[in-house]
Amino acid sequence: MQIDVDALMEGELGQWLRAQSAMRDEALERSKSRWIWSGGLAIVPMLILWFASGWSTPFLTIVCGLGVLGLGVWGYMPISEATTAIKVGINSGIAKSLGLSFSHEVTAGGEFKAARKYGLLPGYDRKTLEDRWYGELEGHRFNLYEAHLEDRRGSGKNRRWVTVFRGAVIAMELGRDFRATALLQRAGTHRKWLGFGGSKDNVTLSGHRLDLVDQVHPAFQDTFVLYSDDQVEARVLAHPSYIEHLLAVERAFEGDDLRALFHRGNVVISVKSGRLFESGAISAEGDRKRVEEAARQFGSLAGLALAINQNDRGRAMRQV
């Protein structure tokens, strides 16, 4: 799906970006002012600690270090708020050109619960969701957002947060009415005991048994494994054209470990990737390049969504 970046930059989005010049300058000046004040405020307690303890008290050193870090974060806040505002403006403009909406804030819905239930996402202790693209594409509901899931590991001084998933969660209506639940995961995800003999014959997830579907297609036998509660419908859902489109989604994200769940007339996809759609910056220089990058990323995904959601088995991909 092509997005006309020239039209965006010459139209409403370009006008809006040019109008943000004063806001960007003000944010930068506020941050500079805060950092100057922070430097002055930090010097006094540092000198007191230096003369009183010679930095011999680890606790006081840590407290002072955290204080300096906190002041630094406080100083950066105006820049952070400005870049977020620019990102929301750019991504909203791109979404609007496709008849969609964009929101920086995200509330998880049924697609997130389904992704957790069927193993598309790992267990976690803390989650952050942001940057939601949503609406309808050719009459099919579409929802995409970024997820950052972290697990608390270790004990005592070694306790730390470890990222267990960073990437996208995508939910789309299918163009056909299916009753089956089918889970497409990477080959080797569910191995038989001690890894011998290939994939398990069945898996039970939250009380729902899914049986291994015999070879979907020889071209993908080393890439994916498919489980379902309906062998016939599963083979239609996992037709090679669908799988090719899903792999194209993975490439568009420059990610890996794509997993898909066909469930209750929807497809839910998780794919690991780096951060995407980060189109905001404090400097106006490079705005067009950032718009082009975000448009390329999301245009590719929107085109793939339309290909996956056709009433037949996908359609030939247009240039994206």
Side-chain angles (χ1 to χ4, degrees):
M1 175 175 287
Q2 293 283 8
I3 297 175
D4 191 339
V5 175
D6 288 334
L8 287 172
M9 296 303 292
E10 294 171 5
E12 184 178 343
L13 176 58
Q15 294 173 8
W16 181 85
L17 284 170
R18 288 188 288 273
Q20 304 311 303
S21 178
M23 182 273 288
R24 282 168 148 163
D25 291 342
E26 181 183 351
L28 186 57
E29 289 303 315
R30 287 174 60 200
S31 283
K32 288 179 179 178
S33 177
R34 287 188 179 190
W35 283 324
I36 291 172
W37 277 101
S38 297
L41 291 172
I43 287 174
V44 174
M46 285 181 180
L47 290 174
I48 291 174
L49 282 172
W50 177 266
F51 289 112
S53 64
W55 298 96
S56 61
T57 306
F59 175 75
L60 293 177
T61 303
I62 292 172
V63 169
C64 187
L66 291 175
V68 171
L69 178 62
L71 289 171
V73 171
W74 174 68
Y76 184 73
M77 284 177 61
I79 291 178
S80 177
E81 292 167 358
T83 56
T84 297
I86 296 298
K87 177 179 76 171
V88 171
I90 288 176
N91 292 349
S92 295
I94 294 171
K96 185 178 179 180
S97 72
L98 296 172
L100 297 171
S101 298
F102 176 85
S103 172
H104 181 58
E105 306 295 330
V106 178
T107 300
E111 75 291 327
F112 190 86
K113 294 179 181 178
R116 284 286 298 111
K117 176 179 178 180
Y118 289 96
L120 272 65
L121 298 172
Y124 62 90
D125 293 316
R126 182 170 69 181
K127 76 174 185 292
T128 302
L129 307 178
E130 63 180 10
D131 295 348
R132 180 188 179 209
W133 305 72
Y134 62 99
E136 288 192 357
L137 287 172
E138 291 194 2
H140 300 296
R141 286 196 302 272
F142 177 88
N143 189 23
L144 178 154
Y145 51 84
E146 294 184 60
H148 182 203
L149 308 180
E150 297 172 282
D151 196 25
R152 196 68 182 266
R153 304 274 178 86
S155 60
K157 294 181 179 180
N158 294 321
R159 286 184 68 80
R160 65 199 184 280
W161 289 104
V162 176
T163 295
V164 293
F165 178 88
R166 182 189 289 277
V169 176
I170 309 167
M172 299 178 287
E173 276 187 326
L174 288 169
R176 303 177 66 176
D177 184 22
F178 288 98
R179 297 184 302 274
T181 293
L183 176 63
L184 188 72
Q185 292 191 321
R186 282 315 227 257
T189 302
H190 301 288
R191 305 290 293 179
K192 289 185 177 179
W193 188 66
L194 296 180
F196 296 108
S199 299
K200 290 183 177 180
D201 294 329
N202 60 76
V203 294
T204 301
L205 302 167
S206 299
H208 189 176
R209 172 171 165 158
L210 303 175
D211 295 312
L212 179 67
V213 179
D214 291 336
Q215 184 56 61
V216 178
H217 193 278
F220 304 106
Q221 63 181 348
D222 296 326
T223 305
F224 289 109
V225 62
L226 181 68
Y227 291 91
S228 179
D229 54 10
D230 188 313
Q231 297 277 316
V232 175
E233 285 197 345
R235 289 187 176 88
V236 176
L237 287 167
H239 186 273
S241 64
Y242 277 129
I243 296 178
E244 288 169 359
H245 293 323
L246 290 172
L247 288 173
V249 169
E250 185 176 82
R251 290 192 296 271
F253 272 99
E254 297 179 357
D256 57 27
D257 197 20
L258 180 143
R259 304 180 182 199
L261 171 70
F262 299 90
H263 182 59
R264 296 181 179 177
N266 296 279
V267 57
V268 180
I269 301 168
S270 72
V271 57
K272 292 181 180 179
S273 67
R275 300 195 68 178
L276 296 173
F277 314 123
E278 294 301 311
S279 52
I282 195 62
S283 171
E285 184 179 356
D287 272 352
R288 181 185 176 88
K289 183 177 180 180
R290 287 185 287 270
V291 170
E292 289 175 346
E293 178 65 10
R296 181 192 66 79
Q297 291 174 338
F298 194 74
S300 295
L301 296 173
L304 292 164
L306 295 178
I308 290 171
N309 280 327
Q310 296 311 295
N311 291 329
D312 295 313
R313 292 171 173 171
R315 69 177 179 194
M317 289 298 299
R318 291 181 293 172
Q319 186 72 24
V320 295

